[in-house]
Amino acid sequence: MIVRVLAALLALAVLGFADTSHAQPKTLTLRVGDQVGSELDYGPFWIAVEKGYLKEEGITYTRKTYANGPSTLLDFNKGELDMVMAGLGPFIQAAAQGADFVMITSITKGNAPLIARPEIKSPRDLNGKKVGSPGLGTIQDTMLSLYEKEHGIKVEHVPTKITDLIAMLEKSDVVAFTGWETVAATTVLKIKGAHYLAPLPVVPNAESLEVIVSRKLAQSDPNAVLGLTRALLKGMRYYEKFEEDALRIIAKAMNVPDALEIAKLAKGQIKITDPYIDQKSSQIIFQTLLDTRKILPDKLASFDDFTRRFVDYSFLRKAEESLKGWEPKR
Amino acid sequence: MKIEAEVLRIPAEPAAPAAPRGRRVRVVLHNVVAALAVIAAWQAATLVVRSVFFPSPWQVMRAMVDLALHGDVLGNSLLTHIDESLMRLGSGFALGVALGVPFGLLMGLNKPLYVGTRAAIEPFRFIPPIAWIPLTIVLLSGFSRYVFLIWLGAFFPIFVATLVGVPRVELIHKNVAKVHGASRWYILTRVVIPSVMPDILGGMRVGLGTAWMTIVAAEMTGGETTGLGRMMVNYAELIRIPEIVVGMILIGALGFVMNEVLLRVEKRLFRWRWEVTL
């Protein structure tokens, strides 16, 4: 009797240690870098997290936030991050300095509103004044340069941390600033008289934010990168179909008071449903970076050169193919 | 009673002999060789590290020349950045000396006052100046923000050096002055302050280092467009490392020159002091 019991226990133990790897998908933990206050801008990612799209692909994540895109890329270049969501400008600048990465999808268009104090009523009022930006290397600073060119004005760029811009605007250290949502919407709601002088960039459908992964990850685990792209695409489709619910999910990720009200105000300044890079605006952005001497042409000759070396749509096309007929469910 | 100055004048000790000219040339040569060795080690390091983000001495020099000739991406000249940083530093440092020395003397000469206020004053000494930056962004603007932060950095080393120097004034010097009827003001200005001067200057040199660290950190957080710290952050955002290193070298060079000036002042004022050597 004892022998039978022991045999049964032994059999159970053997079954317990049996290889079950085929039953559970391999989980990849992505080290993700993005910026403070940018949950709406990267809405598809947060929707993918909340709706379980990332989990379905066997992906979990750890998140590190930075002051702006260039700061994020400094850590990425050291190998501290696998995936970065940041502006096109910083990515071009990094590439021009020899950084390497694979750009898998665009995630945001627009997203460079100009917020001004109540006494600033037109672009002309900005001429000769101090205008804040979240950093010299950000896409928003580049958009500010384009705004100056468009309106024939010259302002003094005051680069500083995005979180300090609100206080500086209130104290009139700057008369206006360009930044990303939802910081801009927060400012409009918090500071009396602050308003959107220019809700959208001067370039139509202006490219803003993209998603990159390390080339090492793209080469060693392309299935994971494909899974990530599928999850992001699902997030975009969810936002497109169920905007209200998507904003609620994003507000939860923001985790600040009045998040939903802020998100609803901010959504008018961004577009987060188009995964393809807008070529026309990107060419303009590239040229502006050259004109303002933010990049030098020796390592990166043109935007076409950048696209050829760093943009890889193969993951996006495979993701679209695999998601044909897929409809998001609430 | 008026004191005869001759009674209280301490006979001057022979001044420490100046270094012979040959030795000065040798010292300069040794320093040049040491600097070249540092540059050679740096170049060797770039061959080992082999990263696009670790610039060589040559790349940094090219960046320095480019900055000197064409200015930065915002059109500000290198001289403008240096000028702005020095102005902020000079103002804050001067305020640190102007307040640190009198406060140190007051507290040093009035022990009950120091003991009675220590709990209120001392904790501020341990708060790093850069920890004040968020508060200064909301409360202060522009130049005043930097002056306040640098004053914080410079004040405490000077204050503490003065404070601890006062009790070390030779008692016999004070007693001799008292015996001859010297007033308090006379003792303060002719005995205490000259005795404490070496400590004050030592504190100033430490305060200068802290002031430089503070100004760079303060400029890095933004709000202005000029200054060496700001320039470095701007180029960090553009991931242009040679220009960042240019900023670092300039800060080091300027700090070195200012320290040398203080050393020369110290040597001139206290040439009666002999160096102890083994």
Side-chain angles (χ1 to χ4, degrees), chain A residues 68 70-71 73-74 77 90 93-94 97-99 130 134-138 156-161 164 167-168 171 173 292-296 298-299, chain B residues 52-53 59 62 66 70-75 134 136-142 145 221-225 230 234-243:
Chain A
N68 54 29
S71 316
L73 282 167
L74 287 173
N77 289 330
Q93 282 150 196
Q97 293 303 313
K130 289 187 175 186
L136 199 62
T138 60
E156 186 182 343
H157 291 227
V158 180
T160 189
K161 275 182 24 235
D164 294 338
M168 290 177 71
K171 282 162 51 213
D173 286 350
T292 52
R293 291 169 58 218
K294 287 181 181 177
I295 60 170
L296 303 168
D298 48 352
K299 285 203 183 94
Chain B
V52 292
F53 302 113
Q59 285 173 305
R62 267 177 46 195
D66 185 59
H70 304 117
D72 69 3
V73 289
L74 289 175
T136 59
I137 286 173
V138 289
L139 292 176
L140 298 169
S141 296
R145 182 190 305 148
T221 56
E224 297 293 322
T225 55
R230 188 67 237 160
N234 286 346
Y235 279 104
E237 293 194 356
L238 300 174
I239 318 185
R240 282 168 60 170
I241 315 298
E243 285 84 351

